[in-house]
Amino acid sequence: MDLDLLFQKSELIPVIIQDEETKDVLMLGFTNREAVELTVETKTAWFWSRSRSKLWNKGESSGNYLHVKKMVADCDTDTLLYLCKPDGPTCHTGCRSCFFQTIMEED
């Protein structure tokens, strides 16, 4: 896929991280072209930190890398999905997933 298609609407696009085995959603981050290129090159997930305004490789400080097994674009080519094998917890809190705070649940 031509990466230009991904970034024709915005320099930053969302990327959903999903466990390749369980299909659980682990996190949502943002990526730019350079981060996508680094992800393809290293096979580990790279992101653009909006708060720190810099590239970061998930796991660089914790050791909990996300090994990217498959990258898929959505139908509008403005969001990515990475199917990953995590080395450990994905969330900086130590939780397996960043999605653990229930707001609503139907009985």
Side-chain angles (χ1 to χ4, degrees):
M1 166 181 263
D2 180 4
L3 292 185
D4 289 336
L5 289 174
L6 292 172
F7 300 100
Q8 57 187 341
K9 296 176 191 166
S10 177
E11 291 181 12
L12 284 181
I13 61 171
V15 56
I16 301 162
I17 303 300
Q18 190 174 26
D19 186 301
E20 70 154 344
E21 187 177 306
T22 67
K23 305 304 186 239
D24 291 341
V25 174
L26 301 177
M27 70 172 278
L28 171 76
F30 288 86
T31 191
N32 63 10
R33 185 184 183 108
E34 186 177 5
V36 171
E37 290 170 346
L38 285 166
T39 298
V40 170
E41 180 182 322
T42 66
K43 307 288 190 277
T44 61
W46 284 79
F47 302 93
W48 177 260
S49 171
R50 295 179 304 162
S51 60
R52 296 176 292 172
S53 296
K54 70 174 205 165
L55 289 168
W56 63 283
N57 183 215
K58 174 67 179 118
E60 63 191 351
S61 59
S62 67
N64 296 327
Y65 289 95
L66 293 168
H67 301 277
V68 181
K69 301 301 181 180
K70 186 175 183 178
M71 296 172 73
V72 183
D74 74 336
C75 59
D76 296 324
T77 60
D78 61 3
T79 301
L80 288 173
L81 171 68
Y82 294 175
L83 282 91
C84 297
K85 181 178 179 188
D87 278 340
T90 300
C91 186
H92 74 281
T93 65
C95 289
R96 184 176 175 287
S97 168
C98 294
F99 295 94
F100 59 86
Q101 299 186 61
T102 302
I103 294 173
M104 195 274 309
E105 186 171 0
E106 191 172 319
D107 294 330

